[in-house]
């Protein structure tokens, strides 16, 4: 019979063995789930085979530090001395190639490996010393043309533009990046006009390290000259091809121009009839009449837009706009809008006909408005019918207009009616919209008519406005220097109404100024003719202007989307030119290039009223 003590001992050994097996299995499972952090596979931040120190001029040092291939092998901690020596030999060739892209072809390069015998586990130290020497200078540039562009007199200006805008000139330092960029720009200018199939058939850069000179040459093959052919439209269901052709305005027989296609694409997109537009040239066809392919996706027939906004002129604003792109029966577009803010409540509707071949379209509209105007409350109606033409740079508009205004201010209320014929013209010549940095805009309106009250009195109304932007740095606008120097913006506005002294004119035909976009430091439309009782009413003459210095804000030597500004505004309204007395506002502010347009935040001091006002507005319009 076995000894009970031996049985108990064997049972304990079995239990301990089972527990040990479980612990080993559990530890193995944990090891499978836990990343291996042993020294052999440690991340590069904890263990490196070697580190690299590059001693070179700052610009060269940064470039080599980023692009040297030796960086890729720092984590191979099992490198022996022979393998490292082979890598350093290859690194010297790589450094020579990198320096060549910067224009240095006779650089002195030294590589030194410092071991750490006191700590064998420490990373070895690779010291690279580079003396780049004198960079290679461009001694000669040859630009040649083959194909029709070389013989066509009509392409003389295009050839001259490619040569004049070539960015690498004799005497400049040669770099590979500049060389690639110059070739790309030349090809872009070639294919942007008349020759869409243009190509670079050869380019050469002959480098002489002894004389440190570079001879550059490029040959451009234009391929055949193309002219626009018939428009081939796809994707229309609701609108006929005539509407698309009138909006695109791409006349067959016109020389091909990439800008023409882009402008046509933009017109179709801005029309509101289409959600997506893509225009291309079919170069497989006859070059003298290559088809223009217009692919469209139509917008919805109707849409409603709800808006929430605000400004310091009118406070919070709510709006609702309904658009019907093709009213049954007449085929015109109808747009109706309701807008409410602290100062103005308006309801308007407009009917617009499709454009004709020249871009002219018939327009009729009605507007009902209640507005705080100076010291008065004005309820007005306006009905208009006429024609308009909207272009990329010039807008024209002529129309008949009926005005009715009921003005209630103080103890006196008046009602006036007028009928007038008007012409409006606007020119926009800015470098870019909605964030212009140079250029100018000019607008003028001229109208004449008669009052329709108990006595009919003729009147003449004229108004003009101008905005000019001048970069402060010399050179082409949009360059680094001009962008950082900022610009000066000058704005001027004037208006007059000529009529008999006692003529009762609707206040909507007269002038008031002051507010976010006119004379800052004063309330919206608070500058006008002052009556004996202190009330402010609209006047017959207006003069206003502004000078503003706009300068970009730079952070860590990089341009931001913000600008700072200081400004001086002035404006006056009166019934006689001799009675005009300027009211001045001065201040400073910031601008932000927001996704919906320029956001303006200004703090202005009104010298006349001795008050500081905050002004907020969004968008650029002229």
């Amino acid at each position: 019979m076995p000894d009970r003590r031996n049985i108990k001992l064997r049972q304990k050994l079995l239990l301990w063995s089972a527990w040990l097996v479980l612990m080993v299995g559990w530890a193995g499972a944990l090891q499978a789930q836990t990343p291996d952090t042993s020294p052999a596979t440690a991340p590069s931040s904890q263990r490196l085979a070697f580190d690299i120190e590059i001693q070179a001029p700052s610009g060269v040092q940064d470039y080599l530090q980023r692009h040297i291939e030796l960086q890729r092998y720092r984590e191979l901690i099992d490198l022996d001395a022979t393998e490292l020596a082979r890598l350093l030999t290859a690194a010297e060739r790589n450094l020579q190639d990198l320096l060549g892209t910067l224009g240095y072809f006779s650089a002195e390069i030294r590589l030194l490996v410092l071991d750490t015998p006191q700590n064998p586990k420490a990373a070895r130290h690779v010291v690279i010393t580079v003396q780049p020497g004198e960079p290679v200078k461009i001694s000669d540039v040859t630009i040649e043309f083959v194909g029709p562009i070389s013989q066509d007199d009509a392409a003389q200006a295009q050839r001259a533009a490619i040569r004049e805008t070539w960015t690498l000139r004799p005497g400049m330092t040669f770099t590979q990046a500049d060389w690639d960029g110059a070739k790309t720009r030349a090809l872009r200018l070639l294919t942007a006009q008349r020759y869409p199939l243009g190509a670079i058939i050869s380019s050469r850069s002959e480098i002489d390290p002894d004389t440190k000179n570079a001879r550059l040459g490029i040959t451009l093959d234009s391929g055949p000259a193309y002219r626009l052919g018939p428009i081939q439209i796809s994707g229309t269901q609701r609108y006929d091809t005539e509407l698309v052709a009138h909006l695109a305005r791409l006349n067959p027989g016109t020389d091909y121009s990439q800008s023409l296609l882009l402008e046509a694409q933009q017109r179709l997109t801005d029309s509101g009839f289409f959600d997506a537009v893509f225009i291309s040239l079919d170069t497989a066809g006859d070059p003298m009449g290559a088809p223009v392919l217009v692919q469209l996706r139509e917008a919805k027939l109707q849409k409603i837009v709800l808006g929430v906004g605000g400004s310091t002129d009118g406070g919070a604003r709510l709006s609702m706009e309904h658009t019907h792109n093709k009213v049954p029966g007449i085929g015109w577009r109808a747009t109706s809008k309701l807008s409410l803010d602290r100062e103005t409540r308006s309801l308007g509707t407009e009917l617009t006909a499709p454009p004709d071949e020249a871009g002219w379209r018939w327009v009729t509209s009605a507007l009902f408005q209640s507005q705080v105007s100076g010291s008065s409350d004005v309820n007005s109606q306006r009905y208009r019918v006429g024609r308009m033409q909207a272009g990329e740079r010039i807008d024209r508009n002529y129309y008949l207009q009926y005005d009715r205004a009921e003005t209630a201010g103080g103890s006196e209320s008046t009602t006036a009616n007028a009928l007038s014929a008007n012409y409006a013209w606007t020119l926009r010549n800015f470098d870019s919209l909605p964030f212009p940095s140079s250029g100018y805009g000019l607008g003028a309106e001229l109208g004449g008519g008669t009052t329709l009250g108990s006595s009919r009195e003729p009147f003449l109304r004229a108004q003009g406005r101008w905005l000019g932007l001048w970069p402060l740095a010399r050179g082409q606008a949009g360059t680094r220097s001009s962008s950082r120097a900022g610009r000066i913006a000058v704005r001027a506005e004037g208006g007059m109404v000529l009529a008999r002294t006692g003529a009762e004119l609707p206040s909507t035909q007269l002038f008031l100024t002051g507010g976010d976009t006119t004379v800052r430091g004063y309330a919206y439309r608070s500058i006008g003719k002052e009556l004996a009782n202190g009330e402010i009413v609209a006047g017959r003459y207006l003069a206003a202007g502004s000078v503003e210095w706009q300068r970009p804000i730079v952070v860590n030597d990089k341009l931001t989307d913000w600008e700072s500004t200081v400004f001086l505004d002035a404006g006056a309204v009166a019934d006689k030119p001799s009675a005009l007395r300027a009211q001045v506002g001065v201040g400073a502010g910031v601008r932000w290039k927001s996704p919906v347009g320029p956001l303006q935040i200004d703090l202005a001091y009104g010298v006349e009223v001795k008050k500081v006002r905050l002004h907020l507005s969004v968008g650029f319009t002229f």
Side-chain angles (χ1 to χ4, degrees), residues 328-457:
I330 60 174
W332 290 24
R333 169 184 284 162
T335 303
S336 301
K337 184 173 182 179
L338 172 66
S339 180
L340 305 171
D341 65 28
R342 184 184 62 217
E343 303 291 334
T344 305
R345 293 156 295 283
S346 65
L347 174 63
T349 186
E350 181 178 271
L351 286 169
T352 308
D356 62 16
E357 292 183 1
W360 286 95
R361 61 182 76 194
W362 286 98
V363 180
T364 180
S365 64
L367 177 66
F368 305 89
Q369 186 169 267
S370 177
Q371 185 178 44
V372 177
S373 185
S375 302
S376 306
D377 293 327
V378 179
N379 295 317
S380 63
Q381 303 170 36
R382 189 193 74 192
Y383 303 94
R384 180 182 291 182
V385 59
R387 300 190 76 196
M388 64 174 291
Q389 182 191 55
E392 281 75 30
R393 298 178 61 242
I394 297 178
D395 295 344
R396 299 177 177 90
N397 192 1
Y398 60 86
Y399 53 91
L400 287 174
Q401 181 170 300
Y402 169 77
D403 289 276
R404 176 184 174 86
E406 299 175 0
T407 304
S411 58
E412 184 180 357
S413 297
T414 62
T415 300
N417 303 269
L419 181 66
S420 61
N422 303 269
Y423 179 78
W425 180 87
T426 301
L427 167 65
R428 293 176 296 272
N429 190 35
F430 299 104
D431 60 341
S432 64
L433 292 174
F435 305 106
S437 59
S438 66
Y440 64 91
L442 178 64
E445 298 178 24
L446 180 64
T450 179
T451 62
L452 299 176
S454 56
S455 62
R456 297 190 176 184
E457 301 286 349

Side-chain angles (χ1 to χ4, degrees), residues 480 484 553-560:
R480 175 184 171 94
R484 290 174 179 257
I553 296 175
V554 179
V555 177
N556 295 329
D557 200 36
K558 294 183 179 179
L559 290 174
T560 68

